[in-house]
Protein backbone atom coordinates (compact mmCIF):
# COMPACT_ATOMS: atom_id res chain seq x y z
CA UNK A 1 0.00 0.00 0.00
CA UNK A 2 2.87 2.38 0.82
CA UNK A 3 4.40 1.99 -2.65
CA UNK A 4 1.06 2.82 -4.30
CA UNK A 5 0.87 5.97 -2.19
CA UNK A 6 4.43 6.75 -3.24
CA UNK A 7 3.59 6.47 -6.93
CA UNK A 8 0.46 8.59 -6.45
CA UNK A 9 2.38 11.25 -4.53
CA UNK A 10 5.14 11.25 -7.13
CA UNK A 11 2.56 11.45 -9.91
CA UNK A 12 0.89 14.38 -8.17
CA UNK A 13 4.26 16.11 -7.82
CA UNK A 14 4.87 15.52 -11.52
CA UNK A 15 1.52 17.06 -12.36
CA UNK A 16 2.42 20.12 -10.29
CA UNK A 17 5.73 20.38 -12.11
CA UNK A 18 3.95 20.15 -15.47
CA UNK A 19 1.84 23.11 -14.38
CA UNK A 20 4.95 25.11 -13.51
CA UNK A 21 4.80 24.58 -9.75
CA UNK A 22 8.03 23.60 -8.00
CA UNK A 23 8.62 20.07 -6.77
CA UNK A 24 7.13 19.36 -3.36
CA UNK A 25 8.79 17.56 -0.45
CA UNK A 26 7.83 13.89 -0.17
CA UNK A 27 5.95 12.77 2.91
CA UNK A 28 7.48 9.90 4.91
CA UNK A 29 4.57 7.56 4.05
CA UNK A 30 4.90 8.06 0.28
CA UNK A 31 7.46 5.31 -0.35
CA UNK A 32 9.72 7.76 -2.14
CA UNK A 33 12.90 6.87 -0.30
CA UNK A 34 16.29 8.52 -0.63
CA UNK A 35 17.69 8.43 -4.15
CA UNK A 36 14.80 6.35 -5.52
CA UNK A 37 13.40 6.52 -9.04
CA UNK A 38 9.73 5.79 -9.72
CA UNK A 39 7.81 5.34 -12.97
CA UNK A 40 5.56 8.16 -14.15
CA UNK A 41 2.42 6.26 -15.26
CA UNK A 42 0.97 9.05 -17.39
CA UNK A 43 4.04 9.23 -19.67
CA UNK A 44 6.70 6.51 -19.83
CA UNK A 45 9.21 8.94 -21.39
CA UNK A 46 9.68 10.48 -17.91
CA UNK A 47 10.41 9.23 -14.39
CA UNK A 48 10.19 10.66 -10.86
CA UNK A 49 13.52 11.18 -9.05
CA UNK A 50 13.38 11.20 -5.24
CA UNK A 51 16.35 12.91 -3.59
CA UNK A 52 16.48 14.03 0.04
CA UNK A 53 12.68 14.14 0.29
CA UNK A 54 12.21 16.16 -2.91
CA UNK A 55 10.47 14.67 -5.96
CA UNK A 56 11.35 15.90 -9.44
CA UNK A 57 10.05 14.74 -12.82
CA UNK A 58 12.90 14.10 -15.25
CA UNK A 59 12.91 13.04 -18.93
CA UNK A 60 14.58 9.93 -20.29
CA UNK A 61 16.95 10.49 -23.24
CA UNK A 62 15.16 10.82 -26.60
CA UNK A 63 13.73 7.53 -27.79
CA UNK A 64 13.96 5.81 -24.39
CA UNK A 65 11.42 4.95 -21.69
CA UNK A 66 11.74 4.33 -17.95
CA UNK A 67 12.18 0.76 -16.69
CA UNK A 68 10.98 0.45 -13.08
CA UNK A 69 13.40 -2.46 -12.60
CA UNK A 70 16.37 -1.68 -12.59
CA UNK A 71 15.27 2.01 -12.37
CA UNK A 72 16.90 3.21 -15.61
CA UNK A 73 15.91 4.60 -18.98
CA UNK A 74 16.36 2.09 -21.80
CA UNK A 75 15.27 1.22 -25.33
CA UNK A 76 11.50 0.67 -25.39
CA UNK A 77 11.71 -2.86 -26.79
CA UNK A 78 13.82 -3.93 -23.78
CA UNK A 79 11.49 -2.31 -21.24
CA UNK A 80 7.91 -3.08 -22.20
CA UNK A 81 5.64 -3.47 -25.18
CA UNK A 82 4.40 -0.28 -26.82
CA UNK A 83 1.72 1.47 -24.75
CA UNK A 84 -1.78 1.67 -26.15
CA UNK A 85 -3.02 5.21 -26.67
CA UNK A 86 -6.56 6.53 -26.85
CA UNK A 87 -7.64 9.54 -28.88
CA UNK A 88 -10.97 11.33 -28.44
CA UNK A 89 -12.31 14.05 -30.73
CA UNK A 90 -14.74 16.90 -30.14
CA UNK A 91 -17.44 18.14 -32.55
CA UNK A 92 -16.40 20.95 -34.91
CA UNK A 93 -18.43 23.38 -37.00
CA UNK A 94 -18.29 24.69 -40.55
CA UNK A 95 -18.19 28.45 -40.70
CA UNK A 96 -19.07 28.53 -44.41
CA UNK A 97 -16.73 27.30 -47.14
CA UNK A 98 -15.04 30.70 -47.22
CA UNK A 99 -14.12 30.63 -43.54
CA UNK A 100 -13.34 26.94 -43.03
CA UNK A 101 -13.88 24.43 -40.24
CA UNK A 102 -13.49 25.74 -36.68
CA UNK A 103 -12.95 23.89 -33.44
CA UNK A 104 -11.21 20.71 -34.55
CA UNK A 105 -9.93 19.15 -31.34
CA UNK A 106 -8.61 15.96 -29.79
CA UNK A 107 -7.08 14.57 -26.62
CA UNK A 108 -4.42 11.84 -26.81
CA UNK A 109 -3.54 9.80 -23.70
CA UNK A 110 -2.10 6.47 -22.65
CA UNK A 111 -4.93 3.97 -22.27
CA UNK A 112 -4.19 3.17 -18.60
CA UNK A 113 -3.49 6.75 -17.48
CA UNK A 114 -5.78 9.75 -17.04
CA UNK A 115 -3.23 12.36 -18.15
CA UNK A 116 -2.69 13.23 -21.80
CA UNK A 117 0.48 12.91 -23.87
CA UNK A 118 2.36 16.20 -24.13
CA UNK A 119 4.06 17.42 -27.31
CA UNK A 120 2.88 14.80 -29.81
CA UNK A 121 1.77 15.71 -33.36
CA UNK A 122 -1.82 15.17 -34.49
CA UNK A 123 -3.15 15.34 -38.05
CA UNK A 124 -6.77 16.30 -38.68
CA UNK A 125 -8.31 14.96 -41.92
CA UNK A 126 -11.74 14.52 -43.42
CA UNK A 127 -13.15 11.03 -42.88
CA UNK A 128 -12.20 10.50 -46.54
CA UNK A 129 -8.55 11.31 -45.77
CA UNK A 130 -8.07 14.89 -47.04
CA UNK A 131 -5.78 17.01 -44.85
CA UNK A 132 -7.52 19.74 -42.86
CA UNK A 133 -4.77 20.91 -40.45
CA UNK A 134 -2.11 19.72 -38.00
CA UNK A 135 -1.36 20.55 -34.36
CA UNK A 136 0.78 19.43 -31.40
CA UNK A 137 -0.71 18.39 -28.05
CA UNK A 138 -0.28 20.67 -25.05
CA UNK A 139 0.60 19.67 -21.47
CA UNK A 140 -2.87 18.16 -21.06
CA UNK A 141 -2.66 16.06 -24.25
CA UNK A 142 -5.05 18.36 -26.12
CA UNK A 143 -4.55 19.61 -29.68
CA UNK A 144 -6.75 22.13 -31.49
CA UNK A 145 -6.74 23.79 -34.88
CA UNK A 146 -8.92 25.48 -37.47
CA UNK A 147 -8.66 24.89 -41.20
CA UNK A 148 -7.49 27.62 -43.54
CA UNK A 149 -10.19 29.75 -45.16
CA UNK A 150 -11.48 28.98 -48.67
CA UNK A 151 -11.54 25.21 -48.48
CA UNK A 152 -11.52 23.37 -51.81
CA UNK A 153 -13.03 20.23 -50.28
CA UNK A 154 -16.63 19.39 -51.28
CA UNK A 155 -19.23 20.35 -48.68
CA UNK A 156 -20.71 16.84 -48.45
CA UNK A 157 -17.25 15.41 -47.60
CA UNK A 158 -16.70 17.98 -44.85
CA UNK A 159 -20.12 17.35 -43.32
CA UNK A 160 -19.37 13.60 -43.01
CA UNK A 161 -17.06 14.50 -40.11
CA UNK A 162 -13.36 14.55 -39.43
CA UNK A 163 -10.69 12.25 -38.01
CA UNK A 164 -7.95 13.16 -35.52
CA UNK A 165 -4.91 10.91 -36.14
CA UNK A 166 -2.00 10.30 -33.77
CA UNK A 167 0.67 8.22 -35.53
CA UNK A 168 2.38 7.00 -32.36
CA UNK A 169 6.09 6.69 -31.59
CA UNK A 170 7.64 3.45 -32.80
CA UNK A 171 8.26 1.10 -29.90
CA UNK A 172 6.89 3.53 -27.30
CA UNK A 173 3.28 4.49 -28.10
CA UNK A 174 0.82 2.86 -30.50
CA UNK A 175 -1.14 4.97 -32.97
CA UNK A 176 -4.74 5.96 -32.28
CA UNK A 177 -7.46 8.00 -33.96
CA UNK A 178 -10.96 9.28 -33.30
CA UNK A 179 -13.73 10.77 -35.41
CA UNK A 180 -16.21 13.52 -34.65
CA UNK A 181 -18.97 15.32 -36.52
CA UNK A 182 -18.73 18.64 -38.34
CA UNK A 183 -21.94 20.66 -38.27
CA UNK A 184 -23.02 23.87 -39.98
CA UNK A 185 -22.29 26.94 -37.84
Amino acid sequence: MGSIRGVLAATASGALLALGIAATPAVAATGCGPDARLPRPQDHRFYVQCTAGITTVLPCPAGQVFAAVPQICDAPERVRPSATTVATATPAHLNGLLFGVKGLGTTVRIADAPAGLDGVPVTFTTVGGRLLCTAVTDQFGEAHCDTPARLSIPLDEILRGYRANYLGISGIYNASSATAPVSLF
Side-chain angles (χ1 to χ4, degrees):
M1 184 67 137
S3 65
I4 292 172
R5 286 188 183 136
V7 170
L8 292 175
T11 301
S13 295
L16 291 174
L17 255 171
L19 295 172
I21 301 170
T24 58
V27 186
T30 66
C32 191
D35 300 325
R37 291 181 178 176
L38 301 172
R40 187 164 187 247
Q42 64 266 54
D43 194 336
H44 303 165
R45 298 174 297 170
F46 298 85
Y47 63 94
V48 178
Q49 176 69 52
C50 305
T51 306
I54 303 294
T55 60
T56 309
V57 176
L58 298 170
C60 286
Q64 294 187 356
V65 295
F66 185 73
V69 176
Q71 295 187 358
I72 61 170
C73 294
D74 203 349
E77 61 273 9
R78 291 194 297 244
V79 175
R80 66 178 62 88
S82 297
T84 300
T85 63
V86 175
T88 55
T90 56
H93 60 272
L94 180 66
N95 195 12
L97 287 177
L98 294 178
F99 302 109
V101 180
K102 306 292 181 194
L104 298 163
T106 189
T107 300
V108 179
R109 64 179 180 79
I110 298 173
D112 296 336
L117 285 176
D118 180 10
V120 299
V122 177
T123 303
F124 296 90
T125 64
T126 64
V127 173
R130 292 190 200 215
L131 180 64
L132 295 170
C133 57
T134 60
V136 174
T137 59
D138 62 15
Q139 67 187 17
F140 303 107
E142 297 177 7
H144 303 276
C145 65
D146 298 332
T147 67
R150 303 193 191 308
L151 289 175
S152 60
I153 300 171
L155 179 60
D156 65 328
E157 184 175 349
I158 294 169
L159 292 177
R160 279 187 270 169
Y162 76 93
R163 178 172 284 121
N165 303 292
Y166 167 58
L167 298 179
I169 299 172
S170 180
I172 301 175
Y173 298 118
N174 293 328
S176 59
S177 67
T179 58
V182 174
S183 61
L184 292 172
F185 189 64

